[in-house]
Structure formats: C-alpha cells, structure tokens
Amino acid sequence: MREASVSLEAGGIEGPRLNAERLLAFVLKCSRVDLYLSYDRPLAPGERREYDALVSRRLAREPLQYILGEAEFYSLTFKVPPGVLIPRPETEILVERALKEAVSAGRPLRILDIGTGSGAIGIILARHLPAADVVCSDVSPEAMGAARTNAENHGVSGRIRFVLADALNPAFPETVGAPFDMAVSNPPYVTRPDWERLPDEIRNFEPRQALLGGEDGLDFYRAMTSMAGKLLVPNGTLMVETGAGQSRATAGLLARAGFEDVHITPDLNGIERVVGGV
C-alpha cells in the first residue's frame, strides 16, 4: 500500500494515501480499519495483480468512484457505474435547502427531480419526506437504471416514479406528469468554452450530456424557467444548483419567469451554489 501511495502521489492524484487504502480495501473486500488490523498480511499473487491494475486505472485518471462502483452522498452509498454522473458534496446544499422548504410547507408535496443521475437527490428527499410523491427524470437510460437500483437499495423504490424524459423537450411537463409543488435539479451547467479546461478525470470519464449546459451553461435553466407555468402548481417552488459565477444570471431567469422570493444559497466554500424561487 505504501508503494501504491507513493506512485499515486507522484502521478498527481489528490489524496494518494486515501486512494491507495480504498483500492486495497476493495480488493480485499474489507474496511479501511481492517487494513490496519492486518497491515503485515502479504498479498496473494492474484490480489497483487488486481490491486496493481486498479492503481494503474487511477493513475490514468479514472475516477475512484467508477473504479469502486460507488460514491458517498448525504451519508449514504450510491451505485455509480460509468455513464452516470458522480454526485458531489456541494449538491448536498441543494438537498438541505429543498428539505427545509418541503418541511416548512407543512403538507405532503409532489416533487420532481430533473436530471436525477444516480437518483441521489430524489432518493434522499423520499427518505426524509415519507409522505411526498417523488418523480425522478433523466434522459439517460444508464442513469435511470442506476437510480432504480439505488432506490431499491435504500428502500424507497415503491415511493418514487422514474421517467425517461428530455428536460429540453417542450413536452417535458406532460411526460413527467406535471404539475408539481416543487422541482429540484442539478442540471448540466458547464459552459462550452470551459469544457476543454475540465480535469481529465471529469472530461474523459463522466457523461458529457450530464455536464455540458450549452455555450454559456444556462440552456437548462432557460428551459426550466420557460416551462415553469406548466411544470409547477401556482406558488410552486423551483430550486436548482448552479456553477460558479452563474447564480445571478440564473436568479434573473427565475425573476423574469415570475418567481418571487428568489434566493441564493452559498456552499461551504462561499460559492453561490443554489438558486430558488416561488
């Protein structure tokens, strides 16, 4: 493990020791704590070959989550096969804000998760809001499959409806069964100029359609706000995650679409991350 950690550090991998430990725990089918309880145990030849192969994949910048097949989000583990966007910690800000709004409503809500990916947002909402009617939509069949599996793993598959649908299609509201009390989304928001500047781990491995939001990154925000009248009930809530520097433009789109009480919530790094309105 020490040798792997040194190789990963030399290869520019962030958190090399953590990566080395998690890969070894994966090979040995044990926890990271177990590694230290049996630190002097030599690897069998087959285990060594498998471990070296995984380290090589990580050195090639394949995301750790794809190698392991899972990612942590909101204290839960989600399956994330290749082709499905890896959930990020900053998206937890969107979940927390949506939960706060839903609880304050004081009644069961119909909630739509647009571009659900692994299902992380919709599944967390369903777990914490047992009376809610949750619909998760995505344009990707791979994402739909992963989201269904994750919903089953977390015991909410019977309370979520999954719909394969394109949020840029004008018929989207009818397809997903609108209107809803709340719509939440972590949509594609990477600008076309920024696409080529993304780290190799993202640009070469994660799904382009889940990241690229058009020339200025705002295509999906325009679509959601333009169809808000059909997508939401009167006084319904729209809440979205945005990229760095996009919150003000997104808030403007909500305001021009007739949303009131438009608010912006920063993430833990101070980046204006979540935009919402009623």
Side-chain angles (χ1 to χ4, degrees), residues 77-173:
T77 300
F78 289 84
K79 299 296 183 183
V80 283
V84 177
L85 187 71
I86 298 168
R88 264 77 169 175
E90 54 265 29
T91 304
E92 294 185 2
I93 305 298
L94 173 62
V95 172
E96 290 171 357
R97 189 64 201 248
L99 283 173
K100 181 179 179 180
E101 293 288 330
V103 170
S104 68
R107 59 183 175 83
L109 302 181
R110 291 198 75 220
I111 301 175
L112 173 65
D113 175 13
I114 304 172
T116 193
S118 65
I121 296 173
I123 288 168
I124 295 296
L125 295 179
R127 281 175 60 91
H128 287 263
L129 303 168
D133 175 16
V134 179
V135 174
C136 293
S137 73
D138 205 289
V139 72
S140 164
E142 292 82 7
M144 282 282 91
R148 289 179 186 276
T149 297
N150 286 320
E152 291 173 2
N153 290 345
H154 294 302
V156 294
S157 59
R159 295 196 290 108
I160 298 179
R161 184 164 62 90
F162 296 93
V163 181
L164 192 65
D166 183 356
L168 296 181
N169 189 316
F172 179 75

Side-chain angles (χ1 to χ4, degrees), residues 66 80-88 90-91 113-119 121 137-144 146 165-168 185-192 195 198 201-203 205-214 217-221 224 241-243 246 273:
Y66 286 156
V80 283
V84 177
L85 187 71
I86 298 168
R88 264 77 169 175
E90 54 265 29
T91 304
D113 175 13
I114 304 172
T116 193
S118 65
I121 296 173
S137 73
D138 205 289
V139 72
S140 164
E142 292 82 7
M144 282 282 91
D166 183 356
L168 296 181
S185 182
N186 174 23
Y189 54 66
V190 175
T191 69
R192 198 170 300 278
W195 174 257
L198 287 175
E201 290 187 4
I202 298 175
R203 183 166 51 85
F205 290 95
E206 295 201 64
R208 181 186 181 105
Q209 67 180 0
L211 291 163
L212 191 57
L218 301 179
D219 285 0
F220 283 83
Y221 305 112
M224 286 186 283
E241 179 177 325
T242 63
Q246 294 176 325
R273 184 63 66 182

